[in-house]
Amino acid sequence: QVHLVESGGGSVQAGSSLRLSCAASIRIYSSSFMGWFRQAPGKEREFVAGLRWSGNTYYTDSVKGRFTISRDSANNAMHLQMNSLRTEDTAVYYCALARKGYSRNPEDFDYWGQGTQVTVSS
Protein backbone atom coordinates (compact mmCIF):
# COMPACT_ATOMS: atom_id res chain seq x y z
CA GLN A 1 0.00 0.00 0.00
CA VAL A 2 1.04 3.58 -0.67
CA HIS A 3 0.45 6.08 2.09
CA LEU A 4 0.73 9.84 1.71
CA VAL A 5 0.81 12.08 4.76
CA GLU A 6 0.40 15.85 4.60
CA SER A 7 1.62 18.28 7.22
CA GLY A 8 2.21 21.98 7.66
CA GLY A 9 -1.29 23.40 7.53
CA GLY A 10 -2.55 25.97 9.96
CA SER A 11 -4.37 29.22 10.54
CA VAL A 12 -2.59 32.38 9.41
CA GLN A 13 -3.26 35.97 8.46
CA ALA A 14 -3.47 37.16 4.88
CA GLY A 15 -0.09 37.98 3.41
CA SER A 16 1.79 35.39 5.45
CA SER A 17 3.29 32.06 4.39
CA LEU A 18 2.92 28.36 5.00
CA ARG A 19 4.94 25.38 3.83
CA LEU A 20 3.06 22.15 3.26
CA SER A 21 4.82 18.81 3.11
CA CYS A 22 3.80 15.41 1.80
CA ALA A 23 5.69 12.28 2.79
CA ALA A 24 5.30 9.05 0.84
CA SER A 25 5.70 5.55 2.22
CA ILE A 26 7.51 4.35 -0.92
CA ARG A 27 10.35 5.49 -3.11
CA ILE A 28 9.09 7.91 -5.76
CA TYR A 29 10.20 7.05 -9.29
CA SER A 30 10.98 9.59 -12.00
CA SER A 31 7.91 8.59 -14.03
CA SER A 32 5.51 9.50 -11.22
CA PHE A 33 3.46 12.69 -11.00
CA MET A 34 2.53 14.21 -7.67
CA GLY A 35 0.18 17.07 -7.06
CA TRP A 36 -1.62 19.23 -4.55
CA PHE A 37 -5.38 19.70 -4.66
CA ARG A 38 -7.60 21.81 -2.45
CA GLN A 39 -11.27 21.79 -1.61
CA ALA A 40 -13.24 24.51 0.13
CA PRO A 41 -16.74 23.97 1.56
CA GLY A 42 -19.32 23.94 -1.21
CA LYS A 43 -16.72 23.84 -3.99
CA GLU A 44 -15.23 21.15 -6.21
CA ARG A 45 -11.80 19.74 -5.60
CA GLU A 46 -9.32 21.95 -7.46
CA PHE A 47 -5.86 21.25 -8.83
CA VAL A 48 -3.34 23.64 -7.27
CA ALA A 49 0.13 22.52 -8.30
CA GLY A 50 1.96 19.42 -9.43
CA LEU A 51 5.30 18.10 -10.52
CA ARG A 52 6.79 15.32 -12.52
CA TRP A 53 9.40 13.65 -10.38
CA SER A 54 11.72 14.19 -13.33
CA GLY A 55 11.37 17.97 -12.98
CA ASN A 56 8.44 19.67 -14.75
CA THR A 57 6.12 21.77 -12.59
CA TYR A 58 2.54 22.96 -13.12
CA TYR A 59 0.32 25.52 -11.39
CA THR A 60 -3.23 26.73 -11.52
CA ASP A 61 -3.41 30.37 -12.59
CA SER A 62 -4.51 31.76 -9.25
CA VAL A 63 -1.34 30.64 -7.44
CA LYS A 64 1.30 31.39 -10.07
CA GLY A 65 4.00 33.60 -8.63
CA ARG A 66 2.90 32.89 -5.06
CA PHE A 67 3.23 29.12 -4.62
CA THR A 68 6.25 26.94 -5.38
CA ILE A 69 6.18 23.16 -5.57
CA SER A 70 9.35 21.17 -5.05
CA ARG A 71 10.55 17.64 -4.46
CA ASP A 72 12.84 16.08 -1.89
CA SER A 73 13.93 12.87 -3.56
CA ALA A 74 16.15 11.74 -0.69
CA ASN A 75 13.18 11.70 1.69
CA ASN A 76 10.43 10.64 -0.75
CA ALA A 77 8.65 13.89 -0.12
CA MET A 78 7.37 17.01 -1.81
CA HIS A 79 6.62 20.49 -0.54
CA LEU A 80 4.38 23.39 -1.39
CA GLN A 81 5.70 26.77 -0.33
CA MET A 82 2.75 29.15 -0.16
CA ASN A 83 3.54 32.85 0.03
CA SER A 84 1.31 35.94 0.01
CA LEU A 85 -1.63 33.88 1.18
CA ARG A 86 -5.12 35.18 0.52
CA THR A 87 -8.44 34.40 2.16
CA GLU A 88 -9.52 32.57 -1.00
CA ASP A 89 -6.68 30.08 -0.44
CA THR A 90 -8.60 28.72 2.55
CA ALA A 91 -9.31 25.03 1.97
CA VAL A 92 -8.33 21.51 2.88
CA TYR A 93 -5.20 20.70 0.90
CA TYR A 94 -4.59 17.15 -0.32
CA CYS A 95 -1.46 15.46 -1.56
CA ALA A 96 -1.94 12.95 -4.38
CA LEU A 97 0.11 10.66 -6.62
CA ALA A 98 -0.60 9.49 -10.17
CA ARG A 99 1.38 6.48 -11.32
CA LYS A 100 0.92 7.13 -15.03
CA GLY A 101 2.11 10.71 -15.19
CA TYR A 102 0.82 14.25 -15.66
CA SER A 103 -2.81 15.08 -15.02
CA ARG A 104 -4.90 17.82 -13.44
CA ASN A 105 -7.92 15.53 -13.06
CA PRO A 106 -8.49 14.08 -9.58
CA GLU A 107 -9.84 10.87 -11.14
CA ASP A 108 -6.40 10.12 -12.59
CA PHE A 109 -4.70 10.06 -9.20
CA ASP A 110 -4.23 6.71 -7.54
CA TYR A 111 -3.29 7.65 -3.99
CA TRP A 112 -4.38 10.43 -1.65
CA GLY A 113 -3.38 11.80 1.69
CA GLN A 114 -5.82 12.63 4.46
CA GLY A 115 -5.67 16.37 3.91
CA THR A 116 -4.43 19.31 5.95
CA GLN A 117 -6.44 22.42 6.74
CA VAL A 118 -5.24 25.84 5.61
CA THR A 119 -7.17 28.82 6.94
CA VAL A 120 -6.31 32.38 5.91
CA SER A 121 -7.98 35.27 7.66
CA SER A 122 -7.92 38.98 6.87
Side-chain angles (χ1 to χ4, degrees):
Q1 295 181 345
V2 177
H3 297 281
L4 305 175
V5 180
E6 303 97 334
S7 61
S11 183
V12 298
Q13 295 182 6
S16 60
S17 299
L18 284 172
R19 183 174 184 258
L20 305 184
S21 297
C22 174
S25 63
I26 61 170
R27 180 181 183 273
I28 307 300
Y29 293 94
S30 61
S31 59
S32 297
F33 184 79
M34 295 188 70
W36 290 94
F37 292 80
R38 65 188 180 188
Q39 188 165 24
K43 294 187 177 182
E44 296 180 348
R45 188 163 297 191
E46 174 192 23
F47 176 84
V48 178
L51 62 81
R52 298 180 184 271
W53 218 246
S54 56
N56 300 71
T57 60
Y58 307 84
Y59 299 92
T60 193
D61 287 345
S62 64
V63 308
K64 289 180 180 177
R66 298 189 298 121
F67 292 8
T68 303
I69 190 169
S70 61
R71 70 176 188 268
D72 181 358
S73 298
N75 293 297
N76 298 319
M78 71 169 182
H79 308 283
L80 185 67
Q81 179 66 43
M82 305 186 295
N83 297 328
S84 301
L85 283 163
R86 305 166 180 169
T87 55
E88 54 262 41
D89 295 318
T90 296
V92 176
Y93 283 70
Y94 297 91
C95 171
L97 184 151
R99 294 174 297 171
K100 296 295 183 68
Y102 169 77
S103 178
R104 294 176 182 243
N105 187 348
E107 295 183 3
D108 293 328
F109 286 75
D110 302 289
Y111 307 103
W112 293 84
Q114 81 288 347
T116 185
Q117 177 71 47
V118 172
T119 302
V120 184
S121 59
S122 61

